[in-house]
Amino acid sequence: MILGRTERGRFPVEPVTLKILVAGGFGVGKTTLVGAVSEIRPLRTEELLTEAGRPVDDTTGVAGKHTTTVAMDFGRITLREDLTLYLFGTPGQERFWFMWDELSEGALGAVVLVDTRRLEDCFAAVDYFERRAIPFLIAVNCFEGAARHPADQVRRALDLDDDVPLLMCDARDRRSVRDVLVGLVEHAMTRTADRRHPVTT
């Protein structure tokens, strides 16, 4: 066997792990997304919604929601034998936003999950990642029975920069979520490369 090669004749590949955030408003489907794609049993920190939280937990549009993430969701997916993503779902309620700084430490990028019925709920996440120059994309969660809006209309409503990808997805579907994650990794890698090699005129 040649030194530095595997038995198949290939050089060994150093495995890479990347940290990805899944953000968005309350009840948008972040926990569902992480659970749909994770190859391990997801870690969830959910608590029941209570009467005490009713004044601050706006359940308009998500009346059937009975729990909320109070710390984070965690899952893992292997995209290739040498590339694994660690997924961290952020809490959506404003009173838990203080945790975002810690969760975003070392993150490659973020998926901002959007429900077009409550579009304004994702503004805080978009602003957060824009201010910190963390690469992100928008994933529009297409609920059953929800009205479908053209991507360009959603983009205008969110006032997104042209280089921010916007994808349609189903947070319950593993393949759909995987496509979103691949899109984010590609976008983040491109952004990183552009910063390292700026175009000069």
Side-chain angles (χ1 to χ4, degrees), residues 65-135:
K65 185 172 177 60
H66 304 293
T67 61
T68 184
T69 299
V70 296
M72 67 174 184
D73 299 310
F74 174 78
R76 184 187 73 201
I77 176 175
T78 302
L79 292 183
R80 298 188 316 237
E81 62 177 320
D82 61 333
L83 179 58
T84 300
L85 304 184
Y86 290 153
L87 308 177
F88 292 80
T90 64
Q93 294 151 289
E94 185 174 355
R95 67 183 186 274
F96 298 124
W97 286 354
F98 68 91
M99 299 186 62
W100 285 30
D101 287 341
E102 186 171 343
L103 288 174
S104 65
E105 187 70 28
L108 174 76
V111 173
V112 177
L113 195 59
V114 170
D115 178 355
T116 55
R117 299 172 301 181
R118 297 158 55 101
L119 199 61
E120 67 281 358
D121 288 1
C122 78
F123 291 166
V126 170
D127 290 344
Y128 182 89
F129 298 121
E130 283 182 341
R131 288 197 308 269
R132 287 158 180 80
I134 297 174

Side-chain angles (χ1 to χ4, degrees), residues 9 16 21 32 36 40 52 54 58 72 84 86 91 94 101 103 107 125 127 155 170 174 177 184 194-195 198:
V16 175
L21 300 184
T32 300
I40 61 173
R54 188 175 297 276
D58 181 10
M72 67 174 184
T84 300
Y86 290 153
E94 185 174 355
D101 287 341
L103 288 174
D127 290 344
R155 178 178 292 278
D170 183 340
R174 178 180 176 84
V177 174
L184 173 63
D194 289 345
R195 286 198 295 264

